Amino acid sequence: MRCDKTAAWHQLQLHAEGFAGFDLRTAFAADAQRAASLSQSAPHVFADLSKNHTDAATEALLIELARQTGLAAHRDAMFRGEAINHTEDRAVMHCLLRQPEGSLQGDLAKPLALVHATLQPMLAYAEQVRVDAQITDVVNMGIGGSDLGPQMAVLALQDFVVEGKRFHFVSNVDGHELAGVLKGLKAENTLFLIASKTFTTLETMTNARSALAWFKAQGGADVSRHFAALTTNVSAAAAFGITTTFGFWDWVGGRYSMWSAIGLPVAIAVGAQGFKDLLAGAHAMDQHFQHAPLESNLPVRLGLLDVWYRNFLNYTSRSIAPYHSALRRVPAYLQQLEMESNGKRVDRNGQALPYGTSPVLWGEPGTNGQHAYFQMLHQGTDIVPLEFIAVKKPTHSLKDHHELLLANVIAQAQALMLGKSDAGGHKHFTGNRPSTFLLLEELTPARLGALIALQEHRVFVSGSVWGINSFDQWGVELGKVLAKDIHARIVSGDASGLDASTAALLDRVRS
Ligand code: F6P
């Protein structure tokens, strides 16, 4: 049943009305157990949800909403490999990419065997590149899910990265990006990874063509040694002239693909064992999502909190604040994950929705954000729930830094909640501003894997309750089609039939 037609939705609406006066400070004062009961451990991740605008009654109603909208059945259908991405008639099986070898029977045994038969040569290749001293630079060319995941993970795991190799990520069709990277490279020392699920994406194909031309112009001859394709479209890669290929399947969504061959740069960076650890961490979170009771299921609790905030308290955005510089691409990664998955205006039957879906996601690493936009979070007119991500143990030995970093992240969560009274003037902080606190023991491949799988599943949960298809992305198509048309017009100068603004801009960039 669509969420807004359920009894739980109606009850949540009534509950939200009575919630108008909710105050975190009062809630903590009234309930000595609040911090404990709204905190939990999940594999590799500790979460404190207690500084959120929620309470036991809210959580109980949200769980009821999950029950009435069939969340568990939908989740199980995904894990069974049903074609829940119905607008593309595809299964959604990225979790299979991190499933241990031979651990499934029935229909999924075969695709799982294929996953491992593909993973092994990919990891062997990664190991081979790692010991190849001639290759000093690895350039990943991909965009969206073929860029954000591997880029985020290579950065996050920088302490585990093999010595003697530099990793570059070229995504934009803007030639400034590629030209800037090529400037510092030598053909004989460079490995280009052309990462594209479809092997048709304009940006990636344009960059790959230019990289190949540059490689040949530099005297490079051995394309099979210096170019590899990571794609489901092996024939298109072959037609392009790339024969070293690592494949995956249409049931891996682009933004869920870092666990597949798209993760090759990560595997080269952290090694076969590191990549396996990343998969194992994600798998541990998959198990938790699949089997933990809804009430103590962290992705379920987070996803339902997202629904509560979006639809009942009308908070339209969420800010991500990773307090670890190596996690600096996590906000960008999560933006695609959440907004490309859940930025939908129709339900699974194509009917327009009367309620909001994806929040706007944004953020920067702390403490940088504190000196930029945190002003608005503390004293602005909109309430923006924050999600802090902190890491307990540092990998450096610089004195004081990590204690100061941790002090800041804890203090920010505290300041948002407590506020400070100053007679309502400029120095007044209302407080009562919500935040979630995620804590990792250390930043390791396994823990990163669990953190990302947690985020994938919380997006599944809210998308499932909203009754949308979180696994297609038709909204990106129109711009692609129009860009083709405008490109032809930039070349020809033909402005016929264009609206006045577009025609004038065309004229301006051509003159
Ligand atoms: O345009 C959106 C999109 O399709 C994303 O979903 C995807 O991650 C990205 O483009 C890249 O696609 P591909 O891997 O096929 O090049």
Side-chain angles (χ1 to χ4, degrees):
M1 191 190 286
R2 206 175 75 184
C3 57
D4 61 325
K5 310 274 188 217
T6 61
W9 187 271
H10 181 62
Q11 284 168 311
L12 278 158
Q13 281 174 324
L14 296 177
H15 182 67
E17 280 169 28
F19 215 81
F22 178 86
D23 190 294
L24 281 165
R25 293 154 291 202
T26 317
F28 273 99
D31 178 5
Q33 295 308 309
R34 183 177 170 88
S37 61
L38 287 168
S39 295
Q40 80 163 92
S41 291
H44 300 300
V45 182
F46 169 81
D48 178 0
L49 310 184
S50 67
K51 291 197 195 74
N52 279 294
H53 289 174
T54 184
D55 57 15
T58 315
E59 282 216 317
L61 284 171
L62 287 167
I63 295 288
E64 209 31 60
L65 179 67
R67 293 220 165 87
Q68 291 174 13
T69 51
L71 170 67
H74 191 212
R75 172 199 62 192
D76 296 345
M78 173 175 76
F79 279 100
R80 272 199 307 275
E82 287 179 21
I84 61 166
N85 175 3
H86 67 290
T87 62
E88 297 180 311
D89 194 22
R90 286 178 184 164
V92 174
M93 300 206 291
H94 49 274
C95 297
L96 205 64
L97 299 167
R98 48 229 195 187
Q99 181 78 29
E101 191 169 11
S103 60
L104 293 177
Q105 317 297 323
D107 290 350
L108 293 178
K110 232 172 148 181
L112 180 59
L114 212 55
V115 163
H116 285 275
T118 311
L119 178 64
Q120 277 152 17
M122 169 192 148
L123 294 183
Y125 178 78
E127 286 297 324
Q128 186 189 313
V129 174
R130 279 163 71 81
V131 296
D132 185 342
Q134 199 195 319
I135 300 296
T136 55
D137 291 86
V138 178
V139 183
N140 190 78
M141 298 191 150
I143 196 162
S146 300
D147 165 69
L148 290 164
Q151 187 184 161
M152 174 275 294
V154 168
L155 264 173
L157 300 174
Q158 61 193 19
D159 287 321
F160 298 81
V161 170
V162 61
E163 274 185 26
K165 300 211 191 298
R166 287 182 294 257
F167 290 82
H168 313 269
F169 290 85
V170 175
S171 55
N172 205 322
V173 72
D174 181 351
H176 296 102
E177 189 173 51
L178 177 59
V181 169
L182 290 178
K183 240 187 244 168
L185 301 180
K186 283 199 184 122
E188 71 262 30
N189 301 127
T190 304
L191 171 64
F192 291 98
L193 303 175
I194 313 303
S196 176
K197 178 177 171 180
T198 54
F199 225 77
T200 57
T201 304
L202 170 102
E203 291 87 342
T204 306
M205 292 302 104
T206 307
N207 282 326
R209 267 195 301 277
S210 297
L212 191 58
W214 172 88
F215 177 75
K216 290 183 175 162
Q218 298 281 310
D222 193 350
V223 172
S224 69
R225 174 160 157 70
H226 291 274
F227 282 78
L230 323 177
T231 185
T232 60
N233 193 352
V234 171
S235 56
F240 185 88
I242 301 181
T243 49
T244 308
T245 312
F246 298 93
F248 58 110
W249 306 273
D250 68 358
W251 45 258
V252 182
R255 54 194 172 275
Y256 299 87
S257 66
M258 61 176 264
W259 323 98
S260 71
I262 294 294
L264 181 59
V266 186
I268 296 172
V270 304
Q273 191 53 52
F275 195 75
K276 283 183 191 168
D277 292 348
L278 181 83
L279 297 179
H283 177 66
M285 190 59 76
D286 294 342
Q287 294 284 101
H288 171 76
F289 180 46
Q290 227 180 332
H291 302 298
L294 297 185
E295 293 79 0
S296 53
N297 191 313
L298 187 56
V300 170
R301 289 175 97 182
L302 283 176
L304 291 175
L305 184 64
D306 295 340
V307 172
W308 169 241
Y309 278 168
R310 182 72 182 91
N311 302 117
F312 299 96
L313 300 190
N314 299 319
Y315 303 157
T316 54
S317 91
R318 177 164 82 247
S319 186
I320 313 295
Y323 273 64
H324 196 303
S325 70
L327 295 177
R328 63 187 173 275
R329 290 299 286 168
V330 166
Y333 176 82
L334 294 181
Q335 267 175 345
Q336 185 194 20
L337 183 62
E338 173 80 52
M339 293 161 78
E340 200 173 73
S341 298
N342 286 345
K344 311 284 163 69
R345 56 170 286 284
V346 295
D347 67 14
R348 287 187 206 124
N349 301 318
Q351 299 299 311
L353 296 172
Y355 48 84
T357 57
S358 172
V360 176
L361 245 73
W362 56 286
E364 280 285 321
T367 59
N368 299 10
Q370 290 174 212
H371 299 275
Y373 54 79
F374 268 46
Q375 163 66 38
M376 179 267 194
L377 301 177
H378 285 286
Q379 288 189 316
T381 49
D382 288 317
I383 293 188
V384 179
L386 249 131
E387 192 154 301
F388 294 107
I389 306 174
V391 178
K392 198 167 141 185
K393 290 189 196 149
T395 49
H396 63 78
S397 52
L398 296 172
K399 198 170 167 305
D400 296 340
H401 286 260
H402 206 65
E403 290 80 357
L404 285 168
L405 183 69
L406 291 178
N408 269 278
V409 63
I410 294 173
Q412 284 299 322
Q414 187 190 30
L416 285 161
M417 173 174 78
L418 293 182
K420 182 172 166 284
S421 200
D422 193 68
H426 296 289
K427 296 182 184 172
H428 181 73
F429 292 67
T430 56
N432 194 31
R433 306 239 159 172
S435 66
T436 295
F437 200 107
L438 302 180
L439 183 66
L440 308 185
E441 190 70 20
E442 309 175 68
L443 192 47
T444 59
R447 290 183 168 94
L448 181 71
L451 176 71
I452 298 303
L454 168 67
Q455 299 288 348
E456 287 179 349
H457 295 321
R458 68 105 65 96
V459 167
F460 177 94
V461 168
S462 53
S464 175
V465 170
W466 286 324
I468 58 184
N469 181 357
S470 300
F471 298 100
D472 61 12
Q473 55 286 316
W474 300 105
V476 301
E477 295 304 324
L478 177 61
K480 290 184 191 174
V481 173
L482 294 187
K484 246 188 203 160
D485 173 62
I486 298 288
H487 181 231
R489 290 170 184 274
I490 285 181
V491 175
S492 70
D494 175 15
S496 58
L498 291 178
D499 65 86
S501 165
T502 307
L505 287 172
L506 186 72
D507 185 45
R508 212 166 254 277
V509 298
R510 286 192 85 249
S511 60

